[in-house]
mmCIF file of all heavy atoms in Angstrom:
data_model
loop_
_atom_site.group_PDB
_atom_site.id
_atom_site.type_symbol
_atom_site.label_atom_id
_atom_site.label_comp_id
_atom_site.label_asym_id
_atom_site.label_seq_id
_atom_site.Cartn_x
_atom_site.Cartn_y
_atom_site.Cartn_z
ATOM 1 N N HIS A 130 21.434 53.067 1.992
ATOM 2 C CA HIS A 130 20.790 53.881 3.050
ATOM 3 C C HIS A 130 19.649 54.721 2.471
ATOM 4 O O HIS A 130 19.225 55.696 3.088
ATOM 5 C CB HIS A 130 21.784 54.780 3.769
ATOM 6 C CG HIS A 130 22.784 54.018 4.567
ATOM 7 N ND1 HIS A 130 23.108 54.369 5.876
ATOM 8 C CD2 HIS A 130 23.564 52.949 4.293
ATOM 9 C CE1 HIS A 130 24.032 53.526 6.335
ATOM 10 N NE2 HIS A 130 24.310 52.675 5.392
ATOM 11 N N GLU A 131 19.104 54.329 1.323
ATOM 12 C CA GLU A 131 18.005 55.061 0.696
ATOM 13 C C GLU A 131 16.854 54.098 0.435
ATOM 14 O O GLU A 131 17.060 53.061 -0.194
ATOM 15 C CB GLU A 131 18.458 55.677 -0.624
ATOM 16 C CG GLU A 131 19.533 56.719 -0.445
ATOM 17 C CD GLU A 131 20.059 57.250 -1.765
ATOM 18 O OE1 GLU A 131 19.502 56.905 -2.835
ATOM 19 O OE2 GLU A 131 21.044 57.992 -1.737
ATOM 20 N N LYS A 132 15.667 54.451 0.913
ATOM 21 C CA LYS A 132 14.525 53.573 0.656
ATOM 22 C C LYS A 132 14.204 53.554 -0.830
ATOM 23 O O LYS A 132 14.430 54.526 -1.558
ATOM 24 C CB LYS A 132 13.322 53.973 1.505
ATOM 25 C CG LYS A 132 12.746 55.315 1.247
ATOM 26 C CD LYS A 132 11.607 55.583 2.232
ATOM 27 C CE LYS A 132 10.965 56.918 1.904
ATOM 28 N NZ LYS A 132 9.855 57.194 2.756
ATOM 29 N N ARG A 133 13.697 52.401 -1.262
ATOM 30 C CA ARG A 133 13.483 52.183 -2.698
ATOM 31 C C ARG A 133 12.391 51.147 -2.877
ATOM 32 O O ARG A 133 12.300 50.172 -2.167
ATOM 33 C CB ARG A 133 14.778 51.667 -3.311
ATOM 34 C CG ARG A 133 14.700 51.223 -4.743
ATOM 35 C CD ARG A 133 16.011 50.574 -5.162
ATOM 36 N NE ARG A 133 16.053 50.381 -6.605
ATOM 37 C CZ ARG A 133 16.876 49.583 -7.208
ATOM 38 N NH1 ARG A 133 17.762 48.877 -6.514
ATOM 39 N NH2 ARG A 133 16.854 49.448 -8.502
ATOM 40 N N ASP A 134 11.561 51.368 -3.920
ATOM 41 C CA ASP A 134 10.588 50.371 -4.360
ATOM 42 C C ASP A 134 10.322 50.650 -5.832
ATOM 43 O O ASP A 134 9.613 51.580 -6.182
ATOM 44 C CB ASP A 134 9.292 50.485 -3.548
ATOM 45 C CG ASP A 134 8.257 49.445 -3.953
ATOM 46 O OD1 ASP A 134 8.622 48.440 -4.628
ATOM 47 O OD2 ASP A 134 7.076 49.619 -3.601
ATOM 48 N N GLU A 135 10.951 49.861 -6.691
ATOM 49 C CA GLU A 135 10.801 50.077 -8.126
ATOM 50 C C GLU A 135 10.980 48.763 -8.892
ATOM 51 O O GLU A 135 11.553 47.813 -8.351
ATOM 52 C CB GLU A 135 11.757 51.129 -8.623
ATOM 53 C CG GLU A 135 13.217 50.763 -8.497
ATOM 54 C CD GLU A 135 14.163 51.874 -8.936
ATOM 55 O OE1 GLU A 135 13.861 52.548 -9.934
ATOM 56 O OE2 GLU A 135 15.186 52.077 -8.277
ATOM 57 N N MET A 136 10.511 48.764 -10.112
ATOM 58 C CA MET A 136 10.694 47.616 -10.990
ATOM 59 C C MET A 136 11.945 47.819 -11.816
ATOM 60 O O MET A 136 12.162 48.883 -12.364
ATOM 61 C CB MET A 136 9.484 47.440 -11.918
ATOM 62 C CG MET A 136 8.206 47.081 -11.205
ATOM 63 S SD MET A 136 8.252 45.493 -10.323
ATOM 64 C CE MET A 136 8.338 44.338 -11.668
ATOM 65 N N VAL A 137 12.773 46.774 -11.897
ATOM 66 C CA VAL A 137 13.921 46.755 -12.791
ATOM 67 C C VAL A 137 13.694 45.554 -13.698
ATOM 68 O O VAL A 137 13.724 44.403 -13.234
ATOM 69 C CB VAL A 137 15.250 46.632 -12.026
ATOM 70 C CG1 VAL A 137 16.427 46.522 -13.002
ATOM 71 C CG2 VAL A 137 15.429 47.816 -11.084
ATOM 72 N N ASN A 138 13.432 45.837 -14.952
ATOM 73 C CA ASN A 138 12.969 44.801 -15.898
ATOM 74 C C ASN A 138 11.702 44.169 -15.320
ATOM 75 O O ASN A 138 10.724 44.859 -15.129
ATOM 76 C CB ASN A 138 14.080 43.819 -16.209
ATOM 77 C CG ASN A 138 15.297 44.493 -16.812
ATOM 78 O OD1 ASN A 138 15.168 45.430 -17.599
ATOM 79 N ND2 ASN A 138 16.480 44.054 -16.433
ATOM 80 N N ASN A 139 11.727 42.888 -14.994
ATOM 81 C CA ASN A 139 10.525 42.253 -14.453
ATOM 82 C C ASN A 139 10.668 41.927 -12.967
ATOM 83 O O ASN A 139 9.902 41.113 -12.444
ATOM 84 C CB ASN A 139 10.223 40.969 -15.230
ATOM 85 C CG ASN A 139 9.819 41.258 -16.647
ATOM 86 O OD1 ASN A 139 9.096 42.206 -16.911
ATOM 87 N ND2 ASN A 139 10.316 40.460 -17.594
ATOM 88 N N THR A 140 11.626 42.524 -12.304
ATOM 89 C CA THR A 140 11.903 42.198 -10.922
ATOM 90 C C THR A 140 11.656 43.436 -10.035
ATOM 91 O O THR A 140 12.138 44.516 -10.325
ATOM 92 C CB THR A 140 13.370 41.742 -10.734
ATOM 93 O OG1 THR A 140 13.623 40.643 -11.641
ATOM 94 C CG2 THR A 140 13.630 41.289 -9.320
ATOM 95 N N ARG A 141 10.945 43.219 -8.958
ATOM 96 C CA ARG A 141 10.721 44.303 -7.997
ATOM 97 C C ARG A 141 11.945 44.422 -7.104
ATOM 98 O O ARG A 141 12.418 43.428 -6.532
ATOM 99 C CB ARG A 141 9.477 43.993 -7.154
ATOM 100 C CG ARG A 141 9.080 45.142 -6.237
ATOM 101 C CD ARG A 141 7.782 44.822 -5.547
ATOM 102 N NE ARG A 141 7.319 45.966 -4.778
ATOM 103 C CZ ARG A 141 6.211 45.947 -4.032
ATOM 104 N NH1 ARG A 141 5.474 44.845 -3.972
ATOM 105 N NH2 ARG A 141 5.856 47.011 -3.369
ATOM 106 N N CYS A 142 12.457 45.637 -6.966
ATOM 107 C CA CYS A 142 13.638 45.912 -6.129
ATOM 108 C C CYS A 142 13.223 46.797 -4.965
ATOM 109 O O CYS A 142 12.637 47.868 -5.167
ATOM 110 C CB CYS A 142 14.715 46.598 -6.944
ATOM 111 S SG CYS A 142 15.375 45.549 -8.249
ATOM 112 N N ILE A 143 13.565 46.338 -3.775
ATOM 113 C CA ILE A 143 13.162 47.041 -2.556
ATOM 114 C C ILE A 143 14.377 47.281 -1.669
ATOM 115 O O ILE A 143 15.216 46.391 -1.512
ATOM 116 C CB ILE A 143 12.114 46.219 -1.777
ATOM 117 C CG1 ILE A 143 10.836 46.036 -2.588
ATOM 118 C CG2 ILE A 143 11.824 46.849 -0.407
ATOM 119 C CD1 ILE A 143 9.857 45.054 -1.982
ATOM 120 N N ASN A 144 14.467 48.467 -1.112
ATOM 121 C CA ASN A 144 15.414 48.783 -0.056
ATOM 122 C C ASN A 144 14.611 49.443 1.064
ATOM 123 O O ASN A 144 13.946 50.457 0.817
ATOM 124 C CB ASN A 144 16.496 49.751 -0.566
ATOM 125 C CG ASN A 144 17.558 50.045 0.457
ATOM 126 O OD1 ASN A 144 17.324 50.037 1.656
ATOM 127 N ND2 ASN A 144 18.766 50.347 -0.015
ATOM 128 N N PRO A 145 14.640 48.857 2.269
ATOM 129 C CA PRO A 145 13.820 49.432 3.359
ATOM 130 C C PRO A 145 14.372 50.724 3.935
ATOM 131 O O PRO A 145 13.720 51.346 4.763
ATOM 132 C CB PRO A 145 13.828 48.324 4.412
ATOM 133 C CG PRO A 145 15.126 47.604 4.184
ATOM 134 C CD PRO A 145 15.349 47.654 2.684
ATOM 135 N N GLY A 146 15.547 51.128 3.517
ATOM 136 C CA GLY A 146 16.180 52.312 4.089
ATOM 137 C C GLY A 146 17.201 51.890 5.124
ATOM 138 O O GLY A 146 17.733 50.767 5.077
ATOM 139 N N ALA A 147 17.507 52.741 6.081
ATOM 140 C CA ALA A 147 18.552 52.470 7.057
ATOM 141 C C ALA A 147 18.202 53.013 8.426
ATOM 142 O O ALA A 147 17.368 53.902 8.583
ATOM 143 C CB ALA A 147 19.864 53.107 6.582
ATOM 144 N N LEU A 148 18.884 52.453 9.446
ATOM 145 C CA LEU A 148 18.707 52.909 10.823
ATOM 146 C C LEU A 148 19.870 53.764 11.278
ATOM 147 O O LEU A 148 19.980 54.085 12.457
ATOM 148 C CB LEU A 148 18.527 51.712 11.760
ATOM 149 C CG LEU A 148 17.329 50.806 11.483
ATOM 150 C CD1 LEU A 148 17.200 49.752 12.547
ATOM 151 C CD2 LEU A 148 16.050 51.629 11.368
ATOM 152 N N HIS A 149 20.737 54.137 10.360
ATOM 153 C CA HIS A 149 21.932 54.916 10.692
ATOM 154 C C HIS A 149 22.372 55.667 9.446
ATOM 155 O O HIS A 149 22.207 55.172 8.324
ATOM 156 C CB HIS A 149 23.048 53.978 11.173
ATOM 157 C CG HIS A 149 24.304 54.670 11.563
ATOM 158 N ND1 HIS A 149 24.413 55.453 12.693
ATOM 159 C CD2 HIS A 149 25.528 54.691 10.991
ATOM 160 C CE1 HIS A 149 25.656 55.906 12.791
ATOM 161 N NE2 HIS A 149 26.355 55.474 11.757
ATOM 162 N N ARG A 150 22.920 56.865 9.613
ATOM 163 C CA ARG A 150 23.404 57.683 8.515
ATOM 164 C C ARG A 150 22.382 57.798 7.370
ATOM 165 O O ARG A 150 22.674 57.539 6.215
ATOM 166 C CB ARG A 150 24.728 57.153 7.962
ATOM 167 C CG ARG A 150 25.904 57.516 8.828
ATOM 168 C CD ARG A 150 27.222 57.159 8.214
ATOM 169 N NE ARG A 150 27.499 55.758 8.507
ATOM 170 C CZ ARG A 150 27.883 54.858 7.613
ATOM 171 N NH1 ARG A 150 28.069 55.174 6.368
ATOM 172 N NH2 ARG A 150 28.101 53.608 7.983
ATOM 173 N N ALA A 151 21.184 58.208 7.737
ATOM 174 C CA ALA A 151 20.131 58.453 6.766
ATOM 175 C C ALA A 151 19.366 59.697 7.215
ATOM 176 O O ALA A 151 19.259 59.951 8.420
ATOM 177 C CB ALA A 151 19.197 57.248 6.688
ATOM 178 N N PRO A 152 18.831 60.468 6.277
ATOM 179 C CA PRO A 152 18.070 61.661 6.690
ATOM 180 C C PRO A 152 16.820 61.318 7.519
ATOM 181 O O PRO A 152 16.423 62.056 8.397
ATOM 182 C CB PRO A 152 17.688 62.342 5.383
ATOM 183 C CG PRO A 152 17.959 61.360 4.303
ATOM 184 C CD PRO A 152 18.890 60.319 4.839
ATOM 185 N N VAL A 153 16.251 60.165 7.219
ATOM 186 C CA VAL A 153 15.113 59.630 7.945
ATOM 187 C C VAL A 153 15.368 58.138 8.136
ATOM 188 O O VAL A 153 15.745 57.449 7.203
ATOM 189 C CB VAL A 153 13.787 59.850 7.154
ATOM 190 C CG1 VAL A 153 12.609 59.246 7.904
ATOM 191 C CG2 VAL A 153 13.555 61.313 6.888
ATOM 192 N N TYR A 154 15.171 57.624 9.360
ATOM 193 C CA TYR A 154 15.405 56.211 9.647
ATOM 194 C C TYR A 154 14.131 55.446 9.311
ATOM 195 O O TYR A 154 13.058 55.760 9.844
ATOM 196 C CB TYR A 154 15.794 56.021 11.108
ATOM 197 C CG TYR A 154 16.963 56.890 11.503
ATOM 198 C CD1 TYR A 154 16.857 57.782 12.564
ATOM 199 C CD2 TYR A 154 18.165 56.821 10.810
ATOM 200 C CE1 TYR A 154 17.928 58.582 12.918
ATOM 201 C CE2 TYR A 154 19.240 57.631 11.155
ATOM 202 C CZ TYR A 154 19.107 58.509 12.208
ATOM 203 O OH TYR A 154 20.160 59.305 12.548
ATOM 204 N N THR A 155 14.269 54.448 8.421
ATOM 205 C CA THR A 155 13.075 53.722 7.985
ATOM 206 C C THR A 155 13.305 52.218 7.955
ATOM 207 O O THR A 155 14.430 51.735 7.806
ATOM 208 C CB THR A 155 12.636 54.153 6.555
ATOM 209 O OG1 THR A 155 13.714 53.903 5.639
ATOM 210 C CG2 THR A 155 12.224 55.614 6.515
ATOM 211 N N VAL A 156 12.198 51.496 8.103
ATOM 212 C CA VAL A 156 12.085 50.072 7.848
ATOM 213 C C VAL A 156 10.834 49.904 6.985
ATOM 214 O O VAL A 156 10.133 50.892 6.718
ATOM 215 C CB VAL A 156 11.966 49.252 9.164
ATOM 216 C CG1 VAL A 156 13.226 49.371 10.006
ATOM 217 C CG2 VAL A 156 10.748 49.664 9.956
ATOM 218 N N ALA A 157 10.563 48.683 6.546
ATOM 219 C CA ALA A 157 9.390 48.476 5.711
ATOM 220 C C ALA A 157 8.721 47.170 6.059
ATOM 221 O O ALA A 157 9.345 46.257 6.627
ATOM 222 C CB ALA A 157 9.784 48.508 4.238
ATOM 223 N N VAL A 158 7.449 47.071 5.688
ATOM 224 C CA VAL A 158 6.700 45.831 5.838
ATOM 225 C C VAL A 158 6.101 45.509 4.472
ATOM 226 O O VAL A 158 5.446 46.350 3.849
ATOM 227 C CB VAL A 158 5.592 45.931 6.894
ATOM 228 C CG1 VAL A 158 4.727 44.678 6.905
ATOM 229 C CG2 VAL A 158 6.206 46.171 8.283
ATOM 230 N N LEU A 159 6.351 44.286 4.006
ATOM 231 C CA LEU A 159 5.853 43.813 2.731
ATOM 232 C C LEU A 159 4.753 42.786 2.979
ATOM 233 O O LEU A 159 4.951 41.797 3.680
ATOM 234 C CB LEU A 159 6.977 43.161 1.913
ATOM 235 C CG LEU A 159 6.577 42.487 0.597
ATOM 236 C CD1 LEU A 159 6.031 43.518 -0.388
ATOM 237 C CD2 LEU A 159 7.757 41.726 0.009
ATOM 238 N N ASP A 160 3.574 43.060 2.434
ATOM 239 C CA ASP A 160 2.478 42.107 2.445
ATOM 240 C C ASP A 160 2.595 41.294 1.174
ATOM 241 O O ASP A 160 2.361 41.807 0.086
ATOM 242 C CB ASP A 160 1.137 42.856 2.500
ATOM 243 C CG ASP A 160 -0.060 41.906 2.598
ATOM 244 O OD1 ASP A 160 -0.006 40.805 1.997
ATOM 245 O OD2 ASP A 160 -1.027 42.268 3.267
ATOM 246 N N THR A 161 2.971 40.032 1.286
ATOM 247 C CA THR A 161 3.236 39.222 0.099
ATOM 248 C C THR A 161 1.950 38.821 -0.636
ATOM 249 O O THR A 161 2.019 38.546 -1.835
ATOM 250 C CB THR A 161 4.025 37.949 0.459
ATOM 251 O OG1 THR A 161 3.273 37.177 1.406
ATOM 252 C CG2 THR A 161 5.388 38.305 0.992
ATOM 253 N N SER A 162 0.829 38.825 0.029
ATOM 254 C CA SER A 162 -0.401 38.456 -0.663
ATOM 255 C C SER A 162 -0.950 39.610 -1.495
ATOM 256 O O SER A 162 -1.392 39.409 -2.623
ATOM 257 C CB SER A 162 -1.460 37.933 0.317
ATOM 258 O OG SER A 162 -1.735 38.903 1.297
ATOM 259 N N SER A 163 -0.887 40.842 -0.996
ATOM 260 C CA SER A 163 -1.389 42.002 -1.750
ATOM 261 C C SER A 163 -0.260 42.731 -2.496
ATOM 262 O O SER A 163 -0.539 43.587 -3.313
ATOM 263 C CB SER A 163 -2.068 42.990 -0.808
ATOM 264 O OG SER A 163 -1.096 43.621 0.038
ATOM 265 N N GLU A 164 0.998 42.385 -2.164
ATOM 266 C CA GLU A 164 2.200 43.025 -2.702
ATOM 267 C C GLU A 164 2.336 44.500 -2.260
ATOM 268 O O GLU A 164 3.113 45.260 -2.827
ATOM 269 C CB GLU A 164 2.274 42.892 -4.218
ATOM 270 C CG GLU A 164 2.378 41.453 -4.641
ATOM 271 C CD GLU A 164 2.675 41.252 -6.115
ATOM 272 O OE1 GLU A 164 3.109 42.223 -6.783
ATOM 273 O OE2 GLU A 164 2.504 40.132 -6.595
#
Side-chain angles (χ1 to χ4, degrees):
H130 293 226
E131 296 175 8
K132 63 183 184 177
R133 172 187 191 198
D134 182 17
E135 64 183 321
M136 294 298 292
V137 176
N138 301 322
N139 293 320
T140 306
R141 186 175 187 182
C142 295
I143 297 171
N144 183 331
L148 299 185
H149 181 70
R150 282 188 276 131
V153 177
Y154 306 123
T155 59
V156 295
V158 174
L159 174 65
D160 183 325
T161 59
S162 58
S163 70
E164 298 189 15

